[in-house]
Amino acid sequence: MKVAWVCYYPAHLLPDRPKLQDDLAHHPVPWVSLQAPLVARTPDIELHIIRVGRRYVADDHFVHDGIHFHFLRVPRLPRVLAAYQIDRLRIHRCLREIQPDLVHGFGTESSYSYAAVSSPFQSLLMIQGVQSEIVRALGSSRWRSPQLFLPMALERWTVRRCKDFVCETNFAAEFVRHLNPTANIHMLRTPVRHEFFPCNENRHPLRLRS
């Protein structure tokens, strides 16, 4: 079974990729970077990860840790100015070459879930934050950030069109149910990074000052 994740993936976690070296280090996105190797090791699963970016020297397609990566270069322009259509076209072309059985889009704040749902393949969406609620929380100051309104509109279109969702919070699940009452919603918590598990024994008892 071929599964394509359409999502942000931190390029700085991948060693020796000259075409990606100008991409700045960002959040490690553990809901992607920790789960991807586990999914890739699952028998009969071929995992592909597709990401678009403006800082790549060129497209980069390779296999690392059992995962098929596809980093796609897009013009160095604000992606929202093109209504994410360049992203969508590049992602859809890559998906047609892969021919996945399932496309899993992560996040509704940019192009990834929009591209997943608008593709001709069966899709599933994972929602972390809710762009519409972020815009609402800004109150009157939201008019100073007009670039937020297109992602909000695409988010609502995407949620209404998709049938299957993974949500991390009840808050996100309620947002989906409001726009798409017949959606199938699966609750899944964010995994904990390995760095949080080691625990050093404290051999010195705590002394309280009187």
Side-chain angles (χ1 to χ4, degrees):
M1 179 180 182
K2 289 185 180 180
V3 177
W5 286 7
V6 185
C7 59
Y8 172 81
Y9 191 95
H12 69 275
L13 298 181
L14 300 166
D16 303 323
R17 305 308 307 177
K19 294 179 181 179
L20 310 178
Q21 63 184 359
D22 293 336
D23 191 51
L24 301 178
H26 290 290
H27 195 284
V29 288
W31 52 91
V32 173
S33 59
L34 291 184
Q35 295 184 87
L38 302 177
V39 173
R41 289 196 291 268
T42 302
D44 301 322
I45 294 290
E46 180 180 300
L47 179 62
H48 295 253
I49 292 182
I50 304 172
R51 182 197 159 183
V52 297
R54 296 178 293 169
R55 293 181 175 272
Y56 310 148
V57 176
D59 291 356
D60 203 6
H61 305 267
F62 58 95
V63 178
H64 174 76
D65 200 16
I67 305 167
H68 300 253
F69 286 97
H70 309 270
F71 285 83
L72 309 178
R73 184 177 180 271
V74 293
R76 291 202 174 194
L77 298 170
R79 292 154 55 205
V80 70
L81 289 181
Y84 295 117
Q85 295 308 303
I86 297 176
D87 293 21
R88 181 183 64 83
L89 292 171
R90 295 239 56 204
I91 292 170
H92 283 188
R93 181 177 179 179
C94 188
L95 288 172
R96 287 194 298 269
E97 294 174 353
I98 298 170
Q99 290 292 306
D101 299 288
L102 178 67
V103 180
H104 188 168
F106 284 75
T108 54
E109 68 278 2
S110 64
S111 62
Y112 293 123
S113 288
Y114 166 60
V117 171
S118 60
S119 76
F121 304 98
Q122 183 177 351
S123 59
L124 167 73
L125 300 188
M126 183 173 187
I127 297 183
Q128 291 90 36
V130 177
Q131 185 74 15
S132 299
E133 295 302 322
I134 294 173
V135 172
R136 180 184 300 179
L138 292 174
S140 59
S141 64
R142 64 182 180 271
W143 302 110
R144 303 173 188 171
S145 304
Q147 73 276 10
L148 298 177
F149 287 92
L150 177 63
M152 181 180 68
L154 287 178
E155 174 183 67
R156 299 176 76 86
W157 181 90
T158 299
V159 170
R160 287 190 175 106
R161 181 159 178 169
C162 192
K163 295 181 180 179
D164 297 286
F165 295 83
V166 172
C167 294
E168 295 181 338
T169 63
N170 292 329
F171 173 79
E174 288 301 319
F175 174 74
V176 171
R177 290 191 185 99
H178 176 70
L179 293 177
N180 191 343
T182 62
N184 300 315
I185 301 175
H186 310 274
M187 302 301 296
L188 180 66
R189 305 304 180 189
T190 299
V192 179
R193 291 166 56 188
H194 302 295
E195 292 86 348
F196 290 98
F197 285 102
C199 179
N200 295 321
E201 182 181 356
N202 184 3
R203 298 180 180 274
H204 302 285
L206 180 64
R207 296 180 180 178
L208 299 178
R209 294 182 179 180
S210 58

